[in-house]
Amino acid sequence: MTDLNKSTLARVAMGLAVGAIFTIGVDALRSGGNVAPDYPCVNSGTEVVIHIEEGATGIDIARTLYKADVVKSSESFFRVAVGNPRSSQVAPGDHRLSTRNCAANALEQLLDSARIVGLINIKEGMWLSEILPQMKLAGFPADELTRAISQVEKPKGFVSLEGLLFPAQYSFDKDVSALVALNSMVVRAESEMQRAGFFSGNSPFDPQELLIIASLIQAEGKSQDFTKISQVIRNRLKIGMPLQFDSTVHYVKKSRGNIFLSTQGTLINSPYNTYRKYGLPPGPINSPGRDAMEAAMNPEPGNWLYFITVAPSDTRFTDNLKQFNVWKAEYKKNLRDGLFRSKK
């Protein structure tokens, strides 16, 4: 095995860095035409956990892999990395990697989120109650998380942490506290809300209300229907019609994956029950993504008051209750026939 030689390093125009663009001088790639030692692309059957520091350079990563016998030479990994723009997506944290592997495979494993130890994967529409267990599994102590939740710095006007942990994949250094981790997620959410225009003053709703609307949009449909759902919410609020969203009751009951809501479910006593309570619920019901946020600010003009997903990927909108009831009967038939069963 050989380490990255000084002559190569001297020709580097800009070092590789985690989370930054990987660039290098042309001469460094050539390195006199020599071929850097590399292992065959074969799984050795042995794995090690490699820690990538926050802000680590590409040279740092290459040397770390070389010292752990993941790659045969740091230069082989360095050359592969600078030739692949995806290298900038390597996340800090602990990664499970095969030993004695070729540099190309080592990079692919570094980019594989399933190999990140302690990865926190917040999906669009997740509840806070689903996110916190992930953080515990990632190594954050339960008591520290409990304290951190009450100490998180929320944007002005926001009263709940629900909805403020932006959907993304997070991997934190082992020395990062739960409070710092949560604050970083909130900062990301605030940045995305800024981007969507929540704080621009160009909406009759304040930022907290817009986040609530975005969470309802996220829960009630697919991205192609988001702007229409956004308009339905406005239309119902404007005429004083209850929102009557099943998703708000599912949120209270923590009933994930259920499509059908019984009549008894609509009677549940909760400020989040939009069948009994008028107006918006008191807070977001999930963590909405970027598309839902943008739809909250930019509804598609229309007079719709009703919408229903008759079959998977078939959501219909109308302002006519009679038409809605016809579609509802079609939906119930499709439900009985198993069209909504998940395919494994």
Side-chain angles (χ1 to χ4, degrees):
M1 295 189 292
T2 61
D3 198 2
L4 197 64
N5 60 67
K6 292 182 180 179
S7 62
T8 297
L9 292 179
R11 289 191 290 266
V12 174
M14 182 180 294
L16 294 87
V18 175
I21 296 175
F22 284 59
T23 57
I24 185 173
V26 175
D27 287 344
L29 283 173
R30 293 172 180 163
S31 190
N34 297 325
V35 176
D38 199 3
Y39 285 125
C41 294
V42 178
N43 192 333
S44 67
T46 303
E47 292 186 339
V48 292
V49 175
I50 299 298
H51 182 71
I52 304 298
E53 296 285 351
E54 183 80 40
T57 66
I59 296 169
D60 295 333
I61 296 172
R63 285 176 169 165
T64 298
L65 299 184
Y66 162 74
K67 290 176 182 177
D69 200 18
V70 171
V71 294
K72 194 168 187 178
S73 67
S74 52
E75 187 174 349
S76 65
F77 177 81
F78 193 73
R79 290 186 177 192
V80 167
V82 297
N84 189 331
R86 293 171 59 225
S87 301
S88 62
Q89 300 169 21
V90 173
D94 294 329
H95 299 252
R96 289 184 297 103
L97 304 180
S98 300
T99 60
R100 303 179 72 82
N101 209 341
C102 66
N105 280 359
L107 178 58
E108 288 304 314
Q109 290 185 354
L110 277 174
L111 292 168
D112 184 355
S113 61
R115 288 181 169 271
I116 301 178
V117 180
L119 179 71
I120 302 167
N121 186 20
I122 303 179
K123 297 179 180 179
E124 295 175 346
M126 286 187 75
W127 305 322
L128 180 63
S129 61
E130 295 171 319
I131 298 170
L132 295 179
Q134 280 200 58
M135 296 192 68
K136 292 176 185 177
L137 288 174
F140 294 102
D143 57 342
E144 184 185 339
L145 266 174
T146 301
R147 289 193 303 272
I149 290 169
S150 63
Q151 298 170 351
V152 172
E153 187 175 345
K154 296 182 283 291
K156 185 178 180 180
F158 290 80
V159 297
S160 171
L161 188 59
E162 187 76 80
L164 286 175
L165 305 184
F166 188 77
Q169 290 185 339
Y170 299 91
S171 177
F172 297 99
D173 191 89
K174 55 189 174 183
D175 297 324
V176 171
S177 69
L179 181 59
V180 170
L182 288 173
N183 275 332
S184 71
M185 297 176 189
V186 173
V187 168
R188 173 70 187 279
E190 185 173 10
S191 174
E192 293 291 342
M193 288 188 286
Q194 288 275 9
R195 181 181 180 278
F198 281 22
F199 302 95
S200 66
N202 296 327
S203 170
F205 301 98
D206 64 35
Q208 164 82 355
E209 290 171 332
L210 286 167
L211 187 62
I212 294 171
I213 292 171
S215 74
L216 295 174
I217 293 169
Q218 186 74 63
E220 285 290 324
K222 296 187 180 297
S223 58
Q224 64 265 27
D225 300 315
F226 280 177
T227 55
K228 288 184 177 181
I229 296 172
S230 181
Q231 184 63 45
V232 169
I233 293 171
R234 284 166 165 78
N235 291 344
R236 290 186 181 184
L237 292 174
K238 185 176 181 179
I239 65 173
M241 177 182 174
L243 293 178
Q244 296 181 321
F245 285 168
D246 293 2
S247 58
T248 61
V249 179
H250 291 321
Y251 172 71
V252 174
K253 297 176 69 176
K254 293 297 180 279
S255 178
R256 174 69 75 186
N258 288 338
I259 296 175
F260 182 74
L261 182 65
S262 66
T263 301
Q264 184 179 4
T266 65
L267 300 176
I268 190 171
N269 186 19
S270 168
Y272 284 86
N273 182 358
T274 54
Y275 282 88
R276 294 187 61 178
K277 304 292 183 180
Y278 287 77
L280 293 172
I285 63 170
N286 59 49
S287 289
R290 178 177 292 177
D291 289 348
M293 287 183 179
E294 291 182 350
M297 277 295 296
N298 302 286
E300 182 175 334
N303 59 355
W304 312 290
L305 287 173
Y306 310 96
F307 66 96
I308 187 168
T309 300
V310 176
S313 300
D314 182 6
T315 300
R316 303 173 188 177
F317 295 77
T318 182
D319 65 337
N320 187 290
L321 181 58
K322 185 177 179 180
Q323 177 64 75
F324 172 78
N325 285 329
V326 170
W327 289 342
K328 188 173 182 180
E330 186 177 345
Y331 150 73
K332 287 184 176 180
K333 179 183 182 300
N334 289 337
L335 183 64
R336 289 193 301 270
D337 292 345
L339 264 66
F340 288 93
R341 289 182 192 144
S342 60
K343 295 179 182 180
K344 296 183 180 179

